[in-house]
Amino acid sequence: MGAGHDAVAGELERRLAPHGVEVSVVDVLDLVPLRLGHVLRRAYAGTIRSAPWLYAAVYRAFFVSRRPGPLRPPPPSPLTALIAARLQRRVRELPPDAVVSTFHVAAQAAGRLRWAGGLDAPSLVLVTDFAVHRMWLHPGNDRYLCPDKAAARAVTAATGRPASMCAPLVPPEFRRPDVRDGRERLRTASGAAPDEPVVLISAGAWGVGRVVEAAGVLSASGRYRPVVLCGRNGHLRRRILGTGLAPALGWRDDVAELMAGAYALVDNAAGMTCREAFACGLPVISYRPIPGHGRDGARAMARGGLSVYAHSPAELVEALDRLEDGALRRTRAARVDALFSAEPAEGAVCAALG
């Protein structure tokens, strides 16, 4: 649905190229007939922006298991069956040596197809959520690659399939950012003084969430200069600029440099932007996360010691203040480094290819 799933697929393709692997990236929503997949994407984006309570209800009803005990895969849906049938046509046209899903609907379709005998190649699922909801799970998939050990244990308990931790699929520029250049870019964008800490506020590619509130909290603190990353949402950018609370940036290709010069990231989705910040060594604070997978992901990251979940304006400012604690920063950095020392996803895929 969002840009994060596309980014993961694209980075995996880039990393597999040196191994001589030919990759075909398929958007699972393109497999829905009559371009209805694009309608689903627009409807989802509109719901997240304008009726988050509705998405929260859908998430509770269909994504979260209501039964006690291990997570269970959801019952098959007509949409999944239709996508699986169209996926089967694709694999007949170009028989793959492995299929890798980076989105939960794709995982359901590939798992269903594999379970029914319509897919001969191994089916791997690259889970992009720290909190694994049941839509990721199907026992037909052969192996799961998870963001941390807790997610891997949950997947194995739910499906009986092998699951392991793999390193985040983050572009290389986030591992080698230019700190000096980043600080200069941020000072130019925000008007901050040389010694004034700049905090990036992420709204994702779609520009969603309560980022205006977050900007207001930081601006009112008098200690931090907020800069909002609005993604492709021009309306949000104009709205924030109109308030005068913070500079608002549109879609950027230099996010790695901006992160390198920032003091912290305030995030609301627990997605790809968080992994990019981890790669840069930028502390992450979750605040007013979007409902459903965003909120659950923020909780999971905080439980793993990777980030802080601030539940109120006071907690947000306090969390930023505590980043001055060197021991705390080192402990969190060690946990983040453990993520990147895990098995690379491309290695697992190459192993599946034989």
Side-chain angles (χ1 to χ4, degrees):
M1 287 290 182
H5 300 284
D6 296 333
V8 169
E11 178 62 15
L12 181 58
E13 179 183 20
R14 186 194 68 79
R15 294 189 185 189
L16 287 172
H19 298 275
V21 179
E22 181 182 351
V23 178
S24 176
V25 179
V26 178
D27 188 335
V28 70
L29 294 183
D30 288 340
L31 299 177
V32 183
L34 304 176
R35 296 184 59 83
L36 292 178
H38 299 278
V39 174
L40 288 173
R41 181 184 282 118
R42 288 195 297 270
Y44 170 68
T47 302
I48 289 292
R49 289 192 185 112
S50 305
W53 57 269
L54 178 58
Y55 175 67
V58 171
Y59 181 85
R60 285 195 302 270
F62 298 102
F63 288 60
V64 180
S65 176
R66 293 182 293 274
R67 301 177 182 179
L71 295 169
R72 291 176 172 83
S77 69
L79 178 62
T80 302
L82 179 61
I83 292 175
R86 290 186 164 238
L87 177 61
Q88 186 172 25
R89 295 179 195 171
R90 293 293 296 266
V91 300
R92 284 174 177 170
E93 295 169 359
L94 184 64
D97 296 300
V99 172
V100 183
S101 301
T102 64
F103 182 52
H104 58 77
V105 175
Q108 285 294 313
R112 178 188 175 98
L113 191 59
R114 182 82 162 134
W115 188 264
L119 177 63
D120 295 330
S123 175
L124 287 71
V125 178
L126 208 164
V127 180
T128 59
D129 291 329
F130 278 96
V132 185
H133 55 70
R134 64 176 183 164
M135 286 294 289
W136 280 106
L137 306 175
H138 196 290
N141 294 305
D142 296 271
R143 184 180 176 187
Y144 283 79
L145 307 176
C146 301
D148 60 10
K149 293 180 179 179
R153 287 193 296 267
V155 168
T156 297
T159 65
R161 294 298 190 180
S164 58
M165 176 180 171
C166 77
L169 278 161
V170 176
E173 60 264 26
F174 287 92
R175 297 291 282 174
R176 300 187 299 272
D178 187 327
V179 175
R180 182 177 299 178
D181 180 45
R183 288 174 178 167
E184 183 60 34
R185 290 178 190 231
L186 278 178
R187 280 199 296 267
T188 300
S190 65
D195 59 345
E196 188 175 14
V198 177
V199 177
L200 294 175
I201 302 175
S202 173
W206 288 347
V208 298
R210 296 164 63 177
V211 294
V212 177
E213 176 188 337
V217 171
L218 299 189
S219 180
S221 74
R223 299 198 291 278
Y224 303 102
R225 178 65 63 93
V227 174
V228 183
L229 302 176
C230 299
R232 294 188 172 93
N233 192 333
H235 173 75
L236 174 65
R237 185 176 182 223
R238 291 189 295 272
R239 179 185 172 197
I240 293 174
L241 291 174
T243 66
L245 293 172
L249 308 181
W251 185 261
R252 303 281 296 215
D253 295 322
D254 60 347
V255 174
E257 288 78 8
L258 296 179
M259 285 184 171
Y263 177 76
L265 173 75
V266 174
D267 178 78
N268 66 10
M272 187 64 175
T273 305
C274 288
R275 289 160 175 79
E276 293 169 348
F278 293 154
C280 283
L282 182 65
V284 175
I285 300 172
S286 299
Y287 182 70
R288 303 298 194 228
I290 60 177
H293 66 279
R295 188 173 297 141
D296 283 354
R299 290 169 177 160
M301 290 194 308
R303 284 195 302 270
L306 301 170
S307 64
V308 177
Y309 188 164
H311 297 82
S312 68
E315 286 188 12
L316 174 57
V317 176
E318 179 185 358
L320 290 168
D321 291 344
R322 290 185 64 199
L323 293 179
E324 296 294 340
D325 185 333
L328 182 63
R329 289 181 73 105
R330 288 191 294 272
T331 299
R332 190 165 296 129
R335 289 169 177 163
V336 168
D337 286 343
L339 295 181
F340 290 90
S341 64
E343 177 187 18
E346 64 271 23
V349 174
C350 287
L353 292 170

